[in-house]
Amino acid sequence: MEKLDNIMVCMDLTEMDDFLISYASYLVEQTDAKKIYFLHLLQNYDLPAEILSEFPDLKRPISKVLQEELEENVAKNFSHQESIETEVVVEEGVKSDTLLQFTREHKINLTVFGKKVGYQGSGALPRRVMPLTPSSVILVSETVFPKIEKIMVRIDFSKMSEIAMKTAIQLSEYTGAQLIALHAYRIPISHFPQYSHDDEKRLQQKMTKHSEKEYEKFMKKLKLDPKAIPCAFLYDRNYQEAQLLYHYGLKNHVDLIMIGSKIKSELANVILDRTSEELAEVEKNIPVLIVKDRKQTLGFLEALFD
Amino acid sequence: MAEKEEEYEINPELKSTKKYFDVDGPVFWPSAIVVVLFIAVTLIVGEPMAEIFSTIQNSISEGGGWFFVLAVNFFLVFVLYIAFSKFGKIKLGGRQAKPEFSKGAWFAMLFSAGMGIGILFWSVGEPMNHFINSPTSEGQTVEAARMAMELTFLHWGLHAWGIYALVGMALAFFTFNRGLPLTISSVFYPLLGKRVNGPIGKIINVMAVVATLFGLATSLGMGVQQVSAGLAHLFNLPDTINTQVILITLITLAATGSVVAGLSSGVKRLSEINIVLAGLFLVFIIIVGPTLFIVDSFVQNLGSYVQNFFELSFWTETYQQSDWQNSWTVFYWAWWVSWSPFVGMFIARISRGRSLKEFVLGVLIVPTLLTFLWLSAFGGSAMFLELNGLADIAGAAKENVATSLYVLLEQFPISSVTSFVGVILVTSFFVTSSDSGSLVVDSLTAGGKLDAPVAQRIFWALTEGAIAAVLLLGGGLQALQTAAITTGLPFAIILIIIAWSLLKGLRGEHLEMMERVREREHKDYQRIVADILKKRESK
């Protein structure tokens, strides 16, 4: 289990930044983070000549001006400047590469990204970076109010689920949030297609029982009482686990969905597992925390690119 | 990415500048020579030509039947893949393009372009023929009736529209999104690059012209047979080849008049009248015919079509060892393929502003359902009368398929009026098909220009009439079917390559779309930075 020592907030100079700073402020308040970075990746900012001509006396580099702007914004919206070390950084270079390098160098444990619902933005950077970064990632939309009173952890009894559960417990200890778990199961493909509606119901019951046993084993392995964290076992009939999680989270007034994510390589790309990726895509009203295993990710990337 | 766009040569205005004759020589002359040679040979050889047509049709159908069956299925799967893939969001004409026509007008135009004369000719005749001579069961039984409607649905259903959707989508994409001329060769740009303007491109366009001409001639020939049968029915005029040739001459002249009048006046109004008349005709049959049977059969036929879709689609008559499929299914697939440059071009022109998903689903579903309703109304009524022993429409259809519509109408009130309306409808469909067909062929032979001198269009209108007349003289219906099959085969191969080329083009478009998003974000970013600079530097 990793401590949330270093948090990084990715800012893009839009209105979204205000919401992210407020959310980060809340996170810092709830955890014992040591340092928080507010990072802006300076894009190739070759401003059109007509704009530059308006500032003939501009002596400072543009990055400096932007940094001042960000610092002012942080000072205005971040309420824990005294209790935690804060640094506003403006970095240049290829966005995803720079971000990953920064994450590694500063041993970032949690990266905060904005997820624009109403504001314009393609979300291309988080999509590109999420599989590659060794840090965990939280996606927060501008519609979210900063509070964590109920956390839902998605589990599939894997190693990554264990890490997600441990992180969730740690977060709930910080915030006092109630914890619930969710496991979505499918009927094994070997049963297709020869079952009737009754068979399906019977198999569903069988799968639920099997999942309950697995959950007990899973919790025992973590030295936890299965009853302490109630788990819902849902039948993923349509092979749309992300939608199921979203729906269940909304219905149960969850403030944070956590999922342990595996990464894998596909056609020379590093990608997240399908559920994490889809969840990051569909989720708009509840923040999603994608928990990564730093060692696994770093090891995987080194093995892939060495 | 700007480089990518430059790769595609945008043809400026595609406006004709010449007064009398403005042709793309390497396309116009070979096409004209092929057609004139065909007419001359048929006239010189005379009677034995029928035998030759029959031999050609049989050998192509027997050898290439499996290919047609496989190809049309591929086209359908391909367009559905495009609709539901990431490419489905691409808009014809670019992001800002708005549809030119309301959905209702769009569907009506799609339907009339795709089916036109053909459906008037076959909607009664085809189910009746299958009813008598069923490929899977004993004729004139309930099972034969069910199968007859199912097979008719197969021939007029999604596969036909899949072919049109493919050609229409490719033409619309390369014309509206890439600024290339509205010719079949433009579709090959991703594969051939600038060579589309060279010999290969010209050969492709010649093939498209010949396929279109023969596809049109097939429809026109059938149309005139039906007009002739209608006149015989109404006024006891002799229904002979000579009458049909005279009718072709007269109607072609009328079409030529409409060509001279131009698209905006004559044909447009005539097309609108056609749609209204056809709609009234359909409603009339549903009301005066066996309404409940029609509605019931529409529902059941639709269910059977869905249920047996795959089996029927891939059926190749392997174990029957008969040649039923050659003269029906294979003929239809070939006819639709040879008719596709014409319909595709028309569909392309009316579909600007639609997303590819909307385009494919619109082109596939609505016209198919309308066609099925038409077939259930006319074919279903005939079937009802047959099954209840109220009329011998099947016998009439067997004797002369062109008369079957009138024999059906005879069973209902005011038959002389409705038969007359039928004749008028077929005639006006003839005129509009001939006119818009001439426009398409003319555009293809004038390098994509849409306002080439009228004299050229008159030439093509007369040529289409001549081909239809010569085909009738050279062997009647069988000659018409042979024409469609012979030109359909090579064009089906072209369609497969079109699918490949379109996929390549769409991939490029998708990449550009993503690039545009990035560019927009970059511009937004520049604006934000500029605003911050203004704010901080003015302090």
Side-chain angles (χ1 to χ4, degrees), chain A residues 218-231:
Chain A
F218 173 81
M219 293 297 271
K220 268 184 193 154
K221 200 172 161 194
L222 293 174
K223 297 188 177 79
L224 293 165
D225 176 12
K227 286 181 188 130
I229 302 170
C231 182

Side-chain angles (χ1 to χ4, degrees), chain B residues 92-271:
Chain B
L92 294 171
R95 229 161 19 102
Q96 308 291 343
K98 294 265 178 294
E100 283 174 64
F101 303 96
S102 69
K103 278 229 169 86
W106 187 52
F107 290 140
M109 285 192 277
L110 288 174
F111 176 70
S112 64
M115 296 302 147
I117 296 180
I119 202 161
L120 284 164
F121 190 85
W122 287 114
S123 57
V124 177
E126 183 179 351
M128 287 297 102
N129 261 289
H130 302 340
F131 178 61
I132 304 169
N133 180 23
S134 177
T136 55
S137 61
E138 199 188 322
Q140 291 178 300
T141 58
V142 172
E143 176 55 24
R146 198 186 57 75
M147 197 62 196
M149 291 310 287
E150 218 168 272
L151 286 164
T152 311
F153 270 34
L154 171 76
H155 297 151
W156 293 83
L158 292 170
H159 291 91
W161 292 98
I163 298 168
Y164 301 153
L166 170 64
V167 181
M169 178 162 44
L171 283 166
F173 174 74
F174 286 101
T175 305
F176 300 139
N177 296 54
R178 295 297 185 194
L180 293 169
L182 189 63
T183 59
I184 298 289
S185 61
S186 296
V187 173
F188 291 81
Y189 202 98
L191 301 177
L192 299 175
K194 287 186 177 158
R195 278 178 297 161
V196 290
N197 298 320
I200 307 177
K202 306 294 178 197
I203 292 170
I204 291 168
N205 282 340
V206 170
M207 285 170 82
V209 169
V210 174
T212 308
L213 282 172
F214 281 88
L216 266 169
T218 307
S219 302
L220 300 185
M222 285 172 186
V224 89
Q225 281 190 339
Q226 204 171 14
V227 173
S228 168
L231 292 177
H233 196 80
L234 283 168
F235 308 114
N236 282 329
L237 289 175
D239 181 13
T240 59
I241 295 286
N242 287 340
T243 314
Q244 290 168 10
V245 172
I246 292 167
L247 280 172
I248 286 187
T249 315
L250 290 175
I251 303 174
T252 302
L253 286 175
T256 313
S258 148
V259 166
V260 177
L263 239 196
S264 52
S265 49
V267 182
K268 202 178 157 204
R269 197 149 306 141
L270 211 51
S271 301

Side-chain angles (χ1 to χ4, degrees), chain B residues 434-446:
Chain B
S434 166
D435 193 346
S436 27
S438 316
L439 183 81
V440 165
V441 174
D442 191 29
S443 168
L444 281 170
T445 53

Side-chain angles (χ1 to χ4, degrees), chain A residues 13-14 40 42-44 46-47 51 54-55 58 60 65 68-69 72 120-122, chain B residues 514 517-518 520-522 524-530 532-537 539:
Chain A
L13 302 172
T14 65
H40 174 67
L42 188 58
Q43 291 180 26
N44 174 15
D46 45 343
L47 290 177
I51 295 179
E54 288 179 40
F55 312 103
L58 186 67
R60 296 171 300 163
V65 182
E68 280 174 20
E69 174 74 9
E72 196 177 295
Q120 267 194 6
S122 64
Chain B
M514 301 303 288
V517 171
R518 272 197 285 275
R520 198 181 59 220
E521 284 184 5
H522 186 65
D524 285 347
Y525 183 74
Q526 282 184 334
R527 184 184 48 76
I528 291 169
V529 172
I532 293 172
L533 283 178
K534 274 181 201 163
K535 187 178 110 189
R536 303 204 74 83
E537 290 304 296
K539 274 183 183 173

Side-chain angles (χ1 to χ4, degrees), chain B residues 295-438:
Chain B
V295 179
D296 276 346
S297 71
F298 175 66
V299 174
Q300 183 175 330
N301 297 339
L302 201 61
S304 301
Y305 178 71
V306 174
Q307 164 82 7
N308 301 316
F309 183 79
F310 290 102
E311 190 185 351
L312 281 175
S313 303
F314 288 90
W315 177 58
T316 54
E317 214 182 25
T318 314
Y319 302 106
Q320 270 103 330
Q321 292 295 318
S322 70
D323 59 357
W324 184 94
Q325 195 177 43
N326 295 345
S327 49
W328 288 104
T329 313
V330 175
F331 156 64
Y332 271 113
W333 295 161
W335 187 20
W336 301 146
V337 166
S338 62
W339 186 240
S340 67
F342 166 58
V343 184
M345 220 172 250
F346 181 75
I347 294 178
R349 286 185 66 185
I350 60 171
S351 301
R352 195 193 175 103
R354 308 267 168 206
S355 74
L356 291 187
K357 187 172 183 180
E358 191 184 5
F359 175 89
V360 171
L361 296 182
V363 171
L364 286 184
I365 296 170
V366 180
T368 298
L369 286 176
L370 273 173
T371 308
F372 286 175
L373 183 63
W374 185 286
L375 292 171
S376 298
F378 286 85
S381 297
M383 203 61 87
F384 176 82
L385 297 170
E386 271 294 330
L387 288 170
N388 291 289
L390 300 170
D392 182 21
I393 298 168
K398 197 178 178 188
E399 202 178 305
N400 180 4
V401 71
T403 61
S404 47
L405 175 70
Y406 307 110
V407 178
L408 171 75
L409 293 173
E410 216 172 59
Q411 314 306 317
F412 302 118
I414 52 165
S415 69
S416 48
V417 176
T418 51
S419 295
F420 186 69
V421 171
V423 171
I424 295 290
L425 199 54
V426 179
T427 311
S428 60
F429 263 125
F430 187 125
V431 173
T432 50
S433 301
S434 166
D435 193 346
S436 27
S438 316

